[in-house]
PDB file of all heavy atoms in Angstrom:
ATOM      1  N   THR A1407       5.399 -18.519   8.966  1.00 90.00           N
ATOM      2  CA  THR A1407       4.983 -17.723  10.117  1.00 90.00           C
ATOM      3  C   THR A1407       4.751 -16.266   9.745  1.00 90.00           C
ATOM      4  O   THR A1407       3.747 -15.666  10.148  1.00 90.00           O
ATOM      5  CB  THR A1407       6.051 -17.807  11.219  1.00 90.00           C
ATOM      6  OG1 THR A1407       6.434 -19.168  11.414  1.00 90.00           O
ATOM      7  CG2 THR A1407       5.529 -17.239  12.520  1.00 90.00           C
ATOM      8  N   ILE A1408       5.657 -15.683   8.987  1.00 89.00           N
ATOM      9  CA  ILE A1408       5.521 -14.267   8.628  1.00 89.00           C
ATOM     10  C   ILE A1408       4.302 -14.038   7.747  1.00 89.00           C
ATOM     11  O   ILE A1408       3.672 -12.975   7.800  1.00 89.00           O
ATOM     12  CB  ILE A1408       6.811 -13.738   7.938  1.00 89.00           C
ATOM     13  CG1 ILE A1408       6.731 -12.223   7.716  1.00 89.00           C
ATOM     14  CG2 ILE A1408       7.070 -14.467   6.636  1.00 89.00           C
ATOM     15  CD1 ILE A1408       6.543 -11.405   8.983  1.00 89.00           C
ATOM     16  N   GLU A1409       3.919 -15.024   6.930  1.00 87.00           N
ATOM     17  CA  GLU A1409       2.738 -14.870   6.083  1.00 87.00           C
ATOM     18  C   GLU A1409       1.476 -14.796   6.941  1.00 87.00           C
ATOM     19  O   GLU A1409       0.549 -14.032   6.641  1.00 87.00           O
ATOM     20  CB  GLU A1409       2.632 -16.021   5.084  1.00 87.00           C
ATOM     21  CG  GLU A1409       3.806 -16.138   4.120  1.00 87.00           C
ATOM     22  CD  GLU A1409       3.963 -14.918   3.238  1.00 87.00           C
ATOM     23  OE1 GLU A1409       2.977 -14.177   3.036  1.00 87.00           O
ATOM     24  OE2 GLU A1409       5.090 -14.685   2.746  1.00 87.00           O
ATOM     25  N   VAL A1410       1.414 -15.589   8.000  1.00 92.00           N
ATOM     26  CA  VAL A1410       0.274 -15.530   8.923  1.00 92.00           C
ATOM     27  C   VAL A1410       0.222 -14.156   9.584  1.00 92.00           C
ATOM     28  O   VAL A1410      -0.835 -13.520   9.678  1.00 92.00           O
ATOM     29  CB  VAL A1410       0.369 -16.634   9.993  1.00 92.00           C
ATOM     30  CG1 VAL A1410      -0.785 -16.512  10.994  1.00 92.00           C
ATOM     31  CG2 VAL A1410       0.370 -18.010   9.349  1.00 92.00           C
ATOM     32  N   PHE A1411       1.376 -13.689  10.039  1.00 94.00           N
ATOM     33  CA  PHE A1411       1.468 -12.373  10.676  1.00 94.00           C
ATOM     34  C   PHE A1411       0.969 -11.282   9.731  1.00 94.00           C
ATOM     35  O   PHE A1411       0.152 -10.435  10.110  1.00 94.00           O
ATOM     36  CB  PHE A1411       2.920 -12.113  11.085  1.00 94.00           C
ATOM     37  CG  PHE A1411       3.148 -10.769  11.725  1.00 94.00           C
ATOM     38  CD1 PHE A1411       3.055 -10.621  13.105  1.00 94.00           C
ATOM     39  CD2 PHE A1411       3.461  -9.670  10.956  1.00 94.00           C
ATOM     40  CE1 PHE A1411       3.270  -9.385  13.700  1.00 94.00           C
ATOM     41  CE2 PHE A1411       3.668  -8.428  11.541  1.00 94.00           C
ATOM     42  CZ  PHE A1411       3.578  -8.290  12.911  1.00 94.00           C
ATOM     43  N   LEU A1412       1.450 -11.298   8.492  1.00 92.00           N
ATOM     44  CA  LEU A1412       1.079 -10.267   7.517  1.00 92.00           C
ATOM     45  C   LEU A1412      -0.400 -10.346   7.147  1.00 92.00           C
ATOM     46  O   LEU A1412      -1.054  -9.321   6.936  1.00 92.00           O
ATOM     47  CB  LEU A1412       1.938 -10.397   6.256  1.00 92.00           C
ATOM     48  CG  LEU A1412       3.434 -10.110   6.433  1.00 92.00           C
ATOM     49  CD1 LEU A1412       4.195 -10.432   5.148  1.00 92.00           C
ATOM     50  CD2 LEU A1412       3.670  -8.666   6.841  1.00 92.00           C
ATOM     51  N   ARG A1413      -0.936 -11.572   7.063  1.00 92.00           N
ATOM     52  CA  ARG A1413      -2.354 -11.728   6.733  1.00 92.00           C
ATOM     53  C   ARG A1413      -3.234 -11.121   7.811  1.00 92.00           C
ATOM     54  O   ARG A1413      -4.218 -10.438   7.513  1.00 92.00           O
ATOM     55  CB  ARG A1413      -2.702 -13.198   6.534  1.00 92.00           C
ATOM     56  CG  ARG A1413      -2.348 -13.761   5.170  1.00 92.00           C
ATOM     57  CD  ARG A1413      -2.836 -15.188   5.036  1.00 92.00           C
ATOM     58  NE  ARG A1413      -4.282 -15.281   5.087  1.00 92.00           N
ATOM     59  CZ  ARG A1413      -4.956 -16.435   5.202  1.00 92.00           C
ATOM     60  NH1 ARG A1413      -4.287 -17.583   5.303  1.00 92.00           N
ATOM     61  NH2 ARG A1413      -6.272 -16.436   5.228  1.00 92.00           N
ATOM     62  N   TYR A1414      -2.892 -11.376   9.066  1.00 95.00           N
ATOM     63  CA  TYR A1414      -3.673 -10.787  10.154  1.00 95.00           C
ATOM     64  C   TYR A1414      -3.565  -9.265  10.116  1.00 95.00           C
ATOM     65  O   TYR A1414      -4.570  -8.552  10.223  1.00 95.00           O
ATOM     66  CB  TYR A1414      -3.211 -11.318  11.509  1.00 95.00           C
ATOM     67  CG  TYR A1414      -3.984 -12.532  11.961  1.00 95.00           C
ATOM     68  CD1 TYR A1414      -3.407 -13.798  11.910  1.00 95.00           C
ATOM     69  CD2 TYR A1414      -5.289 -12.421  12.429  1.00 95.00           C
ATOM     70  CE1 TYR A1414      -4.126 -14.930  12.308  1.00 95.00           C
ATOM     71  CE2 TYR A1414      -6.007 -13.531  12.833  1.00 95.00           C
ATOM     72  CZ  TYR A1414      -5.420 -14.785  12.766  1.00 95.00           C
ATOM     73  OH  TYR A1414      -6.138 -15.886  13.154  1.00 95.00           O
ATOM     74  N   LEU A1415      -2.355  -8.753   9.975  1.00 95.00           N
ATOM     75  CA  LEU A1415      -2.148  -7.302   9.973  1.00 95.00           C
ATOM     76  C   LEU A1415      -2.928  -6.642   8.836  1.00 95.00           C
ATOM     77  O   LEU A1415      -3.479  -5.551   9.005  1.00 95.00           O
ATOM     78  CB  LEU A1415      -0.654  -7.002   9.842  1.00 95.00           C
ATOM     79  CG  LEU A1415      -0.199  -5.576  10.166  1.00 95.00           C
ATOM     80  CD1 LEU A1415      -0.430  -5.267  11.639  1.00 95.00           C
ATOM     81  CD2 LEU A1415       1.268  -5.400   9.811  1.00 95.00           C
ATOM     82  N   MET A1496      -2.259  -8.315  18.677  1.00 98.00           N
ATOM     83  CA  MET A1496      -1.030  -9.013  18.308  1.00 98.00           C
ATOM     84  C   MET A1496       0.074  -8.442  19.193  1.00 98.00           C
ATOM     85  O   MET A1496       0.389  -7.252  19.120  1.00 98.00           O
ATOM     86  CB  MET A1496      -0.709  -8.802  16.820  1.00 98.00           C
ATOM     87  CG  MET A1496      -1.798  -9.295  15.884  1.00 98.00           C
ATOM     88  SD  MET A1496      -1.462  -8.887  14.133  1.00 98.00           S
ATOM     89  CE  MET A1496      -0.107 -10.017  13.783  1.00 98.00           C
ATOM     90  N   TRP A1502       9.575  -5.702  14.632  1.00 94.00           N
ATOM     91  CA  TRP A1502       9.158  -5.787  13.232  1.00 94.00           C
ATOM     92  C   TRP A1502      10.354  -5.524  12.317  1.00 94.00           C
ATOM     93  O   TRP A1502      10.416  -4.528  11.596  1.00 94.00           O
ATOM     94  CB  TRP A1502       8.006  -4.829  12.972  1.00 94.00           C
ATOM     95  CG  TRP A1502       6.765  -5.204  13.741  1.00 94.00           C
ATOM     96  CD1 TRP A1502       6.662  -6.168  14.718  1.00 94.00           C
ATOM     97  CD2 TRP A1502       5.461  -4.632  13.628  1.00 94.00           C
ATOM     98  NE1 TRP A1502       5.385  -6.240  15.202  1.00 94.00           N
ATOM     99  CE2 TRP A1502       4.617  -5.306  14.552  1.00 94.00           C
ATOM    100  CE3 TRP A1502       4.922  -3.631  12.830  1.00 94.00           C
ATOM    101  CZ2 TRP A1502       3.270  -4.996  14.701  1.00 94.00           C
ATOM    102  CZ3 TRP A1502       3.586  -3.321  12.981  1.00 94.00           C
ATOM    103  CH2 TRP A1502       2.764  -4.004  13.896  1.00 94.00           C
TER     104      TRP A1502
END
Side-chain angles (χ1 to χ4, degrees):
T1407 313
I1408 187 59
E1409 299 298 337
V1410 177
F1411 179 91
L1412 294 173
R1413 279 185 64 191
Y1414 268 105
L1415 195 65
M1496 301 174 71
W1502 295 9

